[in-house]
Amino acid sequence: MSNSSSFGFGKMLNRVAVILILFAATSLTACTKKKSDPPPRPPAPVNVAKVVRKTVPVQVEAIGNVEAYSTIQVKSQIGGQLMKVHFREGQDVKKGDLLFTIDPRPYEAQVKQAQAALAKDAAQMEYAHEEARRYEELVRKGYAARDRYDQIRANASALDATVKADKALLDNAKLQLTYCYIHSPITGRTGTLLSNEGNLIKANADTPMVTIQQVRPIYVNFSVPEQYLAVIKKFMTRGKLKVRAIPDRKGGGAENGELTFVDNSVDASTGTIRLKGTFGNRDKRLWPGQFVNVKLTLTQQPDALIVPSSAVQTGQDGDYVFVVKENHTVGQNPVTVERTFDDESVIEKGLAPGETVVTDGQLRLGPGAKVVIKNASEGIKE
């Protein structure tokens, strides 16, 4: 083969190689372009709320413990057999209701015995006074000795004292008889019955027969850091401070009461001051021993900037919220939260009234993300 033929064949191979390289490059570019241009992400569904201004309470929050307004341990003042229990365990009783009956027969006998002794001594006293009147007349006429008259008069006076003592014994016997019938000293709820019918009851025993707790009204004890003491005392001079007790966040509304007690010293071991609120507890939602969330309202703050607490997110640089713009994209605004209350947050800075913030669906968001409003009536109209 000649040199010219070899040269022509080489040029043809070069052209083929170039075409293959261009085809591969074109295919690679097309694939790369296809991979770098994914389809746009759909808008994220979110719930929103408006930033508003309103008057809100300034509150101190704490954990409280419910305490009965009054607790009575019922004990017997006399000994005897328990004849009858007139209530059930856990029953509500009113002041004056009959609770127990102790066998009254021994005490009825004592009353009769005291009555008999009084009648006997009263009869002797009357005879002694009548005799003294007769001797007084005889002494005046000189028919009887003066010392005999003095003796009879002293005997009458002694019988006067005896009758008075008998009356006192009778009153005590009657009082002991009344102790056979034990009545409730307060209106409240009975606890566990510790003495059953037929038991022999001891007077003033160490163990009560039953315990009654008054639950209407009722106390809630709670403690706050001592730095709040000056503020609390300041606002107490303006009137009663309102206290709310929340027994269960899922169980309905709170119980409303008033601050009625501030302890006279700060607990040095904890640095807290003990407070007490009094509640009417009409529906008996507060129960002795129960733990509750307590909110003490000090005053009202007007024109506070408010957003739902669910709108506030926490990142590495602090708190922020997603703000929905007119083109249905979101921006990320850093905010300063002054405090929270009742699932709402007071914003010190970072937002303006009327702005729309995302309250649900933040996990799929980032600055510039598109959103679709699920609760459009509360945010931007679709």
Side-chain angles (χ1 to χ4, degrees):
M1 182 179 293
S2 64
N3 291 335
S4 62
S5 297
S6 300
F7 178 75
F9 180 72
K11 289 179 65 178
M12 183 176 65
L13 291 176
N14 289 337
R15 289 177 181 176
V16 172
V18 171
I19 291 171
L20 292 174
I21 292 172
L22 290 174
F23 177 77
T26 303
S27 301
L28 181 61
T29 302
C31 293
T32 303
K33 183 177 181 181
K34 185 176 182 180
K35 292 182 179 179
S36 62
D37 295 330
R41 296 178 61 183
V46 296
N47 287 333
V48 297
K50 289 288 188 180
V51 181
V52 298
R53 284 193 181 276
K54 65 179 182 180
T55 300
V56 296
V58 178
Q59 297 175 325
V60 178
E61 298 188 11
I63 301 297
N65 182 248
V66 182
E67 175 189 340
Y69 190 82
S70 179
T71 300
I72 301 295
Q73 292 186 336
V74 179
K75 298 181 179 181
S76 176
Q77 294 178 274
I78 59 171
Q81 186 180 17
L82 180 58
M83 300 294 291
K84 183 68 175 177
V85 177
H86 300 274
F87 66 94
R88 301 184 308 275
E89 291 181 316
Q91 177 183 332
D92 290 326
V93 294
K94 296 180 180 179
K95 183 178 180 179
D97 285 353
L98 182 61
L99 301 178
F100 301 98
T101 297
I102 294 176
D103 187 0
R105 291 172 296 180
Y107 300 94
E108 291 172 347
Q110 290 180 8
V111 170
K112 293 178 180 179
Q113 183 178 3
Q115 290 173 335
L118 174 62
K120 173 187 174 182
D121 292 337
Q124 291 179 350
M125 179 192 70
E126 290 179 4
Y127 175 78
H129 280 289
E130 183 63 28
E131 187 178 21
R133 283 192 294 271
R134 290 198 303 269
Y135 265 84
E136 183 181 9
E137 183 67 21
L138 294 174
V139 168
R140 187 168 59 250
K141 294 179 179 180
Y143 298 148
R146 183 75 185 183
D147 58 346
R148 176 61 179 166
Y149 167 69
D150 291 341
Q151 182 181 1
I152 293 175
R153 191 175 62 175
N155 184 49
S157 297
L159 287 171
D160 285 342
T162 301
V163 169
K164 289 181 180 179
D166 289 342
K167 289 180 178 179
L169 290 174
L170 177 60
D171 290 341
N172 182 66
K174 290 180 177 180
L175 181 61
Q176 297 296 311
L177 179 60
T178 63
Y179 290 156
C180 293
Y181 306 96
I182 302 175
H183 299 265
S184 176
I186 61 172
T187 297
R189 194 174 185 90
T190 59
T192 302
L193 179 63
L194 301 176
S195 297
N196 296 305
E197 293 180 4
N199 285 354
L200 186 62
I201 304 300
K202 296 175 60 177
N204 299 312
D206 295 334
T207 303
M209 302 172 72
V210 71
T211 298
I212 302 175
Q213 292 189 324
Q214 184 176 354
V215 297
R216 290 193 306 179
I218 203 166
Y219 292 131
V220 173
N221 295 310
F222 61 101
S223 298
V224 299
E226 61 180 308
Q227 58 262 32
Y228 289 111
L229 179 59
V231 180
I232 292 173
K233 291 171 62 178
K234 171 186 173 182
F235 287 109
M236 283 183 67
T237 60
R238 304 179 184 180
K240 291 285 187 179
L241 298 184
K242 302 298 182 182
V243 184
R244 298 179 66 199
I246 307 172
D248 184 2
R249 291 187 178 274
K250 298 181 181 179
E255 292 291 322
N256 296 314
E258 293 182 344
L259 183 67
T260 54
F261 171 75
V262 179
D263 206 352
N264 57 5
S265 63
V266 174
D267 189 337
S269 61
T270 60
T272 59
I273 182 73
R274 182 170 174 263
L275 310 176
K276 182 183 293 187
T278 303
F279 296 78
N281 200 28
R282 183 183 61 183
D283 298 327
K284 298 181 181 178
R285 297 183 65 236
L286 301 178
W287 212 245
Q290 182 181 23
F291 286 94
V292 295
N293 295 305
V294 177
K295 294 184 179 182
L296 171 64
T297 300
L298 301 177
T299 185
Q300 300 289 326
Q301 178 184 352
D303 296 327
L305 204 62
I306 302 298
V307 298
S309 296
S310 59
V312 180
Q313 304 293 300
T314 302
Q316 294 181 347
D317 298 326
D319 295 330
Y320 65 91
V321 299
F322 287 108
V323 179
V324 181
K325 301 178 181 179
E326 293 183 358
N327 60 355
H328 284 206
T329 61
V330 295
Q332 184 172 315
N333 285 22
V335 295
T336 300
V337 178
E338 183 177 340
R339 68 180 187 279
T340 62
F341 71 98
D342 292 344
D343 299 326
E344 293 184 320
S345 296
V346 179
I347 303 301
E348 184 176 342
K349 60 181 180 179
L351 291 173
E355 288 188 299
T356 302
V357 297
V358 177
T359 59
D360 182 56
Q362 293 97 326
L363 290 177
R364 298 178 59 185
L365 300 183
K370 294 281 290 184
V371 296
V372 58
I373 309 300
K374 293 191 292 184
N375 58 339
S377 62
E378 300 181 23
I380 301 174
K381 293 183 179 181
E382 293 291 340

